[in-house]
């Protein structure tokens, strides 16, 4: 049927990410294990966020949000879009989960010298953009 891999439950998120990256490397569209936006880098293998000499380890959920934001730079992403991207169908997050997660990611960005890069667009959502 076209499948060449499978994972049994319960899944380990890091193993799943590693397998997805391995499959992606076979694709001509593969961009590597590091996402970049200006000087900001997100290492997809180690879950590290870095800018210059500063490096910060992210939790899995923080990493997922940061990856989603970096894959959609300058775009306003609504709470609903973020929830759909980060939480699986049937597992609804708490009402303040996105707000809490955004606050934590802002703290991580501040720690690597990217303060103000994650903007709130009131009434619409959030946007990741370079602040020089």
């Amino acid at each position: 049927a076209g499948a060449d891999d499978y994972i049994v439950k319960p899944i380990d998120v890091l193993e799943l990410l590693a397998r997805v990256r391995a499959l992606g490397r076979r694709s001509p569209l593969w961009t590597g294990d590091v996402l970049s936006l200006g000087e900001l880098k997100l290492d997809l293998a180690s879950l590290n966020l870095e800018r210059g000499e500063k490096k910060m380890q992210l939790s899995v959920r923080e990493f997922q949000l940061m990856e989603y934001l970096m894959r959609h730079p300058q775009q306003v992403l609504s709470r609903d879009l973020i929830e759909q991207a980060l939480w699986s169908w049937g597992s609804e997050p708490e009402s303040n989960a996105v707000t809490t997660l955004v606050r934590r990611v802002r703290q991580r960005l501040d720690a690597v010298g990217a303060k103000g890069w994650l903007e709130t667009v009131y009434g619409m959502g959030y946007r990741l953009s370079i602040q020089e």
Side-chain angles (χ1 to χ4, degrees):
D4 65 355
D5 199 359
Y6 70 96
I7 298 178
V8 295
K9 290 183 183 178
I11 65 168
D12 176 24
V13 174
L14 294 178
E15 179 182 353
L16 175 63
L17 289 172
R19 288 184 188 213
V20 168
R21 281 192 303 279
L23 289 171
R25 282 191 290 269
R26 296 185 211 166
S27 168
L29 302 175
W30 178 251
T31 59
D33 283 343
V34 176
L35 289 177
S36 297
L37 180 63
E39 295 176 1
L40 189 66
K41 294 183 181 359
L42 181 66
D43 188 319
L44 303 176
S46 66
L47 309 183
N48 283 329
L49 181 66
E50 43 186 288
R51 183 172 184 233
E53 299 296 317
K54 298 178 181 177
K55 186 183 286 190
M56 177 64 58
Q57 178 75 42
L58 302 178
S59 72
V60 172
R61 192 64 78 187
E62 292 166 351
F63 167 80
Q64 290 171 334
L65 177 58
M66 198 64 225
E67 179 183 19
Y68 187 61
L69 291 165
M70 288 185 76
R71 290 189 187 276
H72 301 90
Q74 306 296 331
Q75 295 180 27
V76 178
L77 303 171
S78 69
R79 291 171 155 310
D80 288 339
L81 282 174
I82 293 170
E83 284 181 10
Q84 289 172 14
L86 272 58
W87 281 270
S88 62
W89 185 81
S91 65
E92 292 190 25
E94 300 284 329
S95 63
N96 66 340
V98 172
T99 303
T100 302
L101 186 56
V102 165
R103 181 178 44 78
R104 289 190 347 229
V105 167
R106 278 191 176 126
Q107 291 171 346
R108 303 297 186 255
L109 285 166
D110 289 352
V112 296
K115 185 176 181 108
W117 285 34
L118 181 50
E119 304 172 275
T120 299
V121 180
Y122 290 98
M124 296 184 71
Y126 302 97
R127 173 177 46 214
L128 183 66
S129 56
I130 300 172
Q131 304 292 317
E132 296 301 328

